[in-house]
Each structure stands twice: as C-alpha cells, then as structure tokens.
Amino acid sequence: MALANTASLGRTNSLADFISNELLPTNNYARAVANFSSDGTYDTTDQRHELPTISASFSASGGSLQFQTAFLIADSSPISSKSFTNSDVNPTSDRITITNHGFVNGDKLLFTADSLASLPGGIAAGTIYQVASMTANDFLVTPNGGGSTINITDTGSGTFRARSANGIIVAYAVESSPITVPDGQGYSYQIPLVVLNSGYVNGS
C-alpha cells in the first residue's frame, strides 16, 4: 500500500498519475505490505458475502507524514523512489548513476523533479520507462515495453526521483481532508475491497 498527499486521484487516473503523487521516502515513509483482514464474512441480512478489508501500517519518524489518498499496488516493488541529482546523469553514455539503487533490468520507473529542478533532456515527466543494462550503481532506460535506449541530451538541474512504477493500481481510498501521522507515532489504514459486476451494476 502507498500514500499520496492529494485528493485529486480517481478512477480515471493512470498508474503514472498515482506514482507521481506518492509521498517521498522521508520521515520514515515507505510502502507497506497490505494484509487481508480475513476471508470475508456472510451478511445474513443482506444475504451477501462481504469481502475482506485490506489494511497496512505506517509510522512517522523524524517528522510527520501527511496524506489524503491511500492506494494499493499489486505486484509492486517495496522500493518507492531513489533520489539523484543532475551530476549523476551522463548525457554521453545515457547512464544514470544511483549508488546501490536496487532496481533490476525490466523494472519500470517514472522520473519526477523536486522543487526548482528540471528533468534531464530526453526524460519526460509522467512517462514510464524501463531499466536496462543495469549495474549495481547505474543503468540505462528504454521506453516502457522495450526499445532503443533513451537519448539523454542534457543533465537537467537540481534533484530528481526515480520512482518505482511496477504493478497496477487495484484499490484506492480518498479522505475528505488530509490525515497527519505525528512524529513518533504509527497509523493503520484500511481499504474495504469492493467488486463491481458491470452486468448487474449501473452508474459510475
């Protein structure tokens, strides 16, 4: 399960939209393993089987965490993002250096720029790429689905994030107002699992 501090995400948003808005790994934020509460229960009044609730726990350390949307990514990586700067980008070799990045060939990444930063030339915001020709400390990127190495034309400026974009969004919940997890405290979040059968349910 992952968190984002925005209420703008919804059913029409793409995986890239969710990943672009995920919290940065500061103040102890990390993606959490989601657990099913049970196998579900049978509601005798409504005569239907209630699906289980998905839950995950987060904790803040070194500062608070604030979020408004929680989302579940199936088949995701535990790595949320890794930071690097323009000095880690080599336009000659097209390689990006991040020491002990933990990515493997084929991993999907999306790049974002921190405040006042500009992404390297050739890397587009909101676009998912794939890791290629990786070593322990650097890698190339190709278009999602494979293809020729992306030609990086300049280093850009400032600090960037290589955000893990493996998996698919299978559930999300948006709160009416932001939730703050104070420094030194934990928070357990639950998302009720809902399945709609388009053959029997109308509406949006």
Side-chain angles (χ1 to χ4, degrees):
M1 188 179 291
L3 305 176
N5 192 21
T6 178
S8 64
L9 297 168
R11 293 173 61 186
T12 60
N13 289 106
S14 66
L15 171 65
D17 294 329
F18 279 86
I19 299 301
S20 294
N21 284 283
E22 185 177 2
L23 296 184
L24 296 178
T26 58
N27 299 339
N28 203 46
Y29 170 73
R31 291 178 178 176
V33 175
N35 297 300
F36 287 99
S37 58
S38 66
D39 292 330
T41 57
Y42 183 73
D43 186 322
T44 56
T45 302
D46 293 331
Q47 296 186 343
R48 65 185 183 188
H49 188 79
E50 301 288 345
L51 293 170
T53 296
I54 303 167
S55 63
S57 297
F58 300 89
S59 61
S61 178
S64 63
L65 298 176
Q66 182 174 286
F67 70 97
Q68 197 163 358
T69 296
F71 55 99
L72 186 65
I73 318 171
D75 297 325
S76 70
S77 166
I79 300 171
S80 58
S81 68
K82 295 281 187 173
S83 66
F84 63 105
T85 69
N86 60 305
S87 63
D88 298 316
V89 180
N90 188 329
T92 303
S93 65
D94 296 322
R95 300 191 76 83
I96 296 171
T97 298
I98 304 176
T99 303
N100 297 321
H101 52 74
F103 302 125
V104 299
N105 289 334
D107 273 356
K108 297 179 181 181
L109 297 179
L110 180 146
F111 297 94
T112 58
D114 283 9
S115 178
L116 303 179
S118 297
L119 286 173
I123 301 292
T127 298
I128 294 177
Y129 299 94
Q130 283 187 216
V131 174
S133 300
M134 52 76 61
T135 70
N137 299 316
D138 68 1
F139 53 87
L140 299 171
V141 291
T142 63
N144 187 21
S148 300
T149 299
I150 296 298
N151 178 29
I152 299 177
T153 58
D154 63 64
T155 64
S157 63
T159 299
F160 321 115
R161 308 283 169 166
R163 297 173 178 254
S164 175
N166 294 330
I168 59 171
I169 306 298
V170 295
Y172 72 94
V174 181
E175 298 294 329
S176 58
S177 59
I179 293 175
T180 299
V181 183
D183 184 13
Q185 295 190 24
Y187 188 87
S188 181
Y189 195 85
Q190 297 182 339
I191 299 179
L193 187 61
V194 177
V195 176
L196 297 182
N197 184 328
S198 60
Y200 295 93
V201 178
N202 295 319
S204 57

